[in-house]
Amino acid sequence: MAGLEPLYAWARAAVSRPQDALVCGIHWELVRHGYRCLGAGDQPGPDERKSELLPAGWETNKEVYTLRYKSTDDAHELLLKAIMVEDSMILNVMDRSSQKVADVTLAVADYINPEHLDDFHKVYKNTEDLRTRIASGIIAPLGAPAEKPKNEPEKKDPDLLRDHDPLRVHPRQPAGTRAPSRPSPLSPFAVGGEDLDPFGGQSGGMIVDPLRSGFPQPGIDPSSGIPGRLPPGAVPPGARFDPFGPIGPSRSGPDPDHLPPPGYDDMFM
């Protein structure tokens, strides 16, 4: 019964009979279950405070012990009367809040060694049984005080923790702006987008430019000239260039566009 030893040492001067020691044990069990003592007697006194200690004068009447308790959550207020009848102690407990009543009868000799009142380590016996009788006969019928919820640390999203880097410098954006979207060159909704962009920052223009179509292309630089078509320097470096013919060596054979269609000179065609 952890905690009962210092209580018994504090109250030892007032313990003169076995029933005094038993009242100490009963008192501590109520404290363990969330109750605090307000004082002795039926009526409250001035400047009462909830305490884990027994009040002054608790042992004055050896035949009837009267103590008042209040739960830590202030939901229950108990009036305990421990009445001695021969060698037994009858506990009558009433909850003034709900008007419920509980009764327990204890044989003093079952829990107290009268010849060892000066030795805490020998004065009590069958302490587990005493705990069970108090819990089942008083606490359970009248109700235990509600426990205060423990403060749990706030759980954070693991994805946010993974992406958070205190050393990373985030890119700055002007207030009220957002980063421009970059549609895929394969998207049918990207057609014409580059023609509306004065900076040429995205793809999808109506002018077909094989050099800037978004696909890997061999390193062709029109500013260096196209053999047989453009001299070097004809296209400024980095300028948008609309090729007017196939890039690469000229195809062999005559150009089909140079041959007139059959009957070209026939005016009735």
Side-chain angles (χ1 to χ4, degrees):
M1 302 176 73
L4 177 58
E5 182 175 2
L7 173 67
Y8 190 81
W10 173 85
R12 175 63 191 91
V15 175
S16 60
R17 295 186 182 183
Q19 56 263 38
D20 295 337
L22 183 57
V23 170
C24 286
I26 296 169
H27 166 84
W28 186 248
E29 283 304 302
L30 293 176
V31 170
R32 286 184 61 251
H33 284 90
Y35 287 94
R36 300 295 182 264
C37 191
L38 295 176
D42 298 280
Q43 301 301 323
D47 302 328
E48 284 189 343
R49 293 181 298 177
K50 292 187 288 187
S51 175
E52 294 184 0
L53 300 176
L54 285 164
W58 64 273
E59 83 298 348
T60 302
N61 190 339
K62 302 295 184 181
E63 301 301 324
V64 180
Y65 300 81
T66 303
L67 298 171
R68 288 176 293 104
Y69 294 85
K70 198 167 189 178
S71 59
T72 53
D73 60 357
D74 296 330
H76 304 275
E77 185 173 351
L78 306 183
L79 175 62
L80 167 67
K81 287 183 177 292
I83 305 169
M84 289 299 302
V85 179
E86 297 182 352
D87 295 331
S88 297
M89 178 179 288
I90 300 175
L91 302 179
N92 181 272
V93 185
M94 182 182 69
D95 186 347
R96 287 181 168 177
S97 302
S98 62
Q99 297 299 312
K100 293 181 179 179
V101 178
D103 294 286
V104 177
T105 300
L106 304 174
V108 178
D110 290 345
Y111 307 102
I112 303 297
N113 290 315
E115 65 275 12
H116 296 294
L117 295 180
D118 292 331
D119 189 349
F120 170 79
H121 299 284
K122 296 180 179 180
V123 66
Y124 289 101
K125 58 183 178 179
N126 301 324
T127 55
E128 290 299 325
D129 182 67
L130 178 61
R131 285 182 175 183
T132 302
R133 297 290 303 277
I134 298 300
S136 61
I138 297 178
I139 303 301
L142 301 182
E147 295 183 359
K148 294 183 179 180
K150 297 181 180 179
N151 294 329
E152 297 183 359
E154 181 181 357
K155 296 182 180 179
K156 297 184 179 180
D157 189 347
D159 295 334
L160 297 178
L161 294 177
R162 182 176 61 253
D163 295 338
H164 175 68
D165 185 357
L167 301 180
R168 181 174 60 188
V169 179
H170 297 278
R172 294 184 177 180
Q173 289 275 4
T177 63
R178 62 178 181 178
S181 59
R182 304 294 181 185
S184 170
L186 301 179
S187 173
F189 302 102
V191 176
E194 191 170 29
D195 295 334
L196 302 177
D197 186 0
F199 300 103
Q202 53 183 328
S203 60
M206 298 299 292
I207 299 177
V208 180
D209 185 355
L211 303 180
R212 300 178 62 187
S213 62
F215 300 96
Q217 297 289 343
I220 301 175
D221 184 6
S223 64
S224 62
I226 301 178
R229 296 187 182 276
L230 289 177
V235 179
R240 294 181 60 175
F241 174 65
D242 183 15
F244 48 81
I247 300 176
S250 301
R251 67 175 66 186
S252 60
D255 190 338
D257 293 337
H258 293 173
L259 298 178
Y264 177 76
D265 294 331
D266 189 349
M267 61 179 294
F268 297 100
M269 287 186 64

